[in-house]
Amino acid sequence: MTKIDLPQYDYDVVIIGGGPAGYTAGIYAARAALKTLLVEGAGTISQITITDMIENYPGIPDGIGGFELMQLFKNQALKFGLEVLPKDVTAIKKISDTPVIWEVTAGDKTMKTLSIIAATGAMWRSLGVPGEAEFAGKGVSYCATCDGPFYRNRDVVVVGGGDTAIQEALFLTHFAKKVTVIHRRDRLRAAGMLQNRAFAEKKIEFAWNATVEEITGSEFVTGVKVKDVQTGSIKEIAAEGAFIFVGRLPYTDIFKGLVNMDKTGFIITDEELRTKAPGIFAAGDCRAKLFRQVITAAGDGANAVHSAELYIDDVKGRTY
């Protein structure tokens, strides 16, 4: 096929986000000899870096700290020649339609690119109560799949009443001695099937009409103070772990108006991780999906690059 003359551009692909999805995409893009820039963000950090221990990443049976694992990702990407820019992206706009060229502004730099991979991640919605930030990684967790095995034969609490909260509470019963679900209403929002399973589980108890006022402890969590929303009374529930599931917030504001999002702001893609915008792909926790783990984010990153490479070849007139 005849090679197409393209307008001037700087990169084949710009990856936005420095977490597992972003750096996996960087590894695959650099190895594919695509001219690639990863903008890892200066004002935001990947949630994995504040995870104390990851025990379920394949090939690392003894576990590894989240920060250390991300350094391995990054070092491997740099080894393959990935260019990294530690800036926050402030604007994305389309500057050409035929072919599509995107302009990405990060700090004082502006780059033109044929494609973009959104790997901006998400953060757990916090309660904003005393003790929550202080005990993050020391009893406060936002991932039962990640941290549940550390709480064998211990009492824990789960905050929330939706599908995720109840799914994670059920998962925690495999390890914990007792799981107390704290919910601000007198009934759950979770799907009926999940509710039935939770009510039938002997290890799960419920603190209804209750909101968390404080997470207490010394070096680690020892309890949670809750307020009865009807009477205003305060009591403390003894627990060595507090798992908080009151929703996630994706870092996707810079993509508003460019791609389709669900009601929470997660980017909607097809199975090839393509968005509605030509040349924009999404990977990892910023994408609308059911399961969010390091391994699934990494898989998204690899798949997004594969789709981007096919797209770029098509734009350049190199499709087989």
Side-chain angles (χ1 to χ4, degrees):
M1 184 174 288
T2 305
K3 191 172 181 179
I4 297 174
D5 291 329
L6 295 173
Q8 184 179 2
Y9 65 95
D10 303 300
Y11 296 98
D12 292 317
V13 57
V14 169
I15 301 163
I16 304 174
Y23 270 106
T24 301
I27 290 169
Y28 276 74
R31 288 188 75 247
L34 297 173
K35 187 167 176 53
T36 306
L37 173 70
L38 185 147
V39 187
E40 66 176 355
T44 58
I45 61 170
S46 171
Q47 289 295 293
I48 187 181
T49 61
I50 60 173
T51 302
D52 182 58
M53 181 61 64
I54 297 168
E55 289 189 316
N56 58 354
Y57 196 81
I60 308 179
D62 296 327
I64 187 171
F67 180 81
E68 287 75 20
L69 182 58
M70 275 315 307
Q71 286 301 116
L72 293 178
F73 276 54
K74 185 172 184 177
N75 291 341
Q76 187 172 358
L78 294 175
K79 174 184 173 183
F80 290 118
L82 178 67
E83 183 182 347
V84 176
L85 178 65
K87 299 281 186 180
D88 291 320
V89 173
T90 55
I92 301 169
K93 66 178 180 179
K94 187 167 63 172
I95 60 172
S96 171
D97 285 309
T98 310
V100 172
I101 303 289
W102 295 98
E103 184 179 83
V104 178
T105 301
D108 58 353
K109 295 183 179 296
T110 300
M111 295 77 64
K112 297 179 177 65
T113 181
L114 296 179
S115 66
I116 295 170
I117 295 177
T120 46
M123 66 178 292
W124 283 106
R125 192 190 301 270
S126 65
L127 296 172
V129 300
E132 182 179 11
E134 293 87 335
F135 293 111
K138 299 178 181 179
V140 171
S141 174
Y142 303 87
C143 180
T145 308
C146 309
D147 299 331
F150 297 118
Y151 294 87
R152 294 181 188 277
N153 301 315
R154 299 183 181 184
D155 291 347
V156 301
V157 298
V158 167
V159 184
D163 285 353
T164 300
I166 301 308
Q167 285 172 332
E168 300 290 69
L170 288 164
F171 178 80
L172 285 166
T173 62
H174 297 303
F175 311 101
K177 182 169 61 177
K178 182 175 73 174
V179 179
T180 301
V181 175
I182 301 170
H183 189 43
R184 59 184 176 176
R185 297 188 175 90
D186 60 358
R187 63 186 186 277
L188 300 173
R189 291 184 292 108
M193 182 176 66
L194 288 172
Q195 292 192 40
N196 292 338
R197 288 178 58 197
F199 294 144
E201 173 55 59
K202 294 180 180 179
K203 284 187 176 183
I204 294 181
E205 297 182 1
F206 294 88
W208 300 110
N209 298 309
T211 58
V212 174
E213 296 293 296
E214 182 181 358
I215 298 172
T216 60
S218 52
E219 293 184 14
F220 296 91
V221 169
T222 58
V224 175
K225 289 184 179 178
V226 297
K227 177 181 179 179
D228 188 306
V229 298
Q230 295 178 328
T231 67
S233 62
I234 303 287
K235 71 174 182 178
E236 184 162 354
I237 299 172
E240 294 181 73
F243 290 81
I244 300 168
F245 303 109
V246 291
R248 284 195 186 206
L249 298 173
Y251 295 112
T252 55
D253 284 352
I254 56 173
F255 292 99
K256 285 182 177 177
L258 301 177
V259 301
N260 288 336
M261 300 180 182
D262 67 13
K263 62 182 180 180
T264 313
F266 290 96
I267 297 172
I268 297 171
T269 71
D270 62 14
E271 290 186 357
E272 281 72 46
L273 306 191
R274 296 174 297 199
T275 71
K276 77 161 188 176
I280 298 184
F281 306 82
D285 286 3
C286 69
R287 186 170 77 88
K289 59 179 185 176
L290 291 176
F291 195 46
R292 294 181 171 90
Q293 292 282 284
V294 179
I295 191 68
T296 62
D300 278 359
N303 281 313
V305 169
H306 178 67
S307 294
E309 187 174 12
L310 295 176
Y311 170 82
I312 292 164
D313 282 346
D314 185 56
V315 169
K316 292 181 177 181
R318 301 190 312 203
T319 305
Y320 288 105

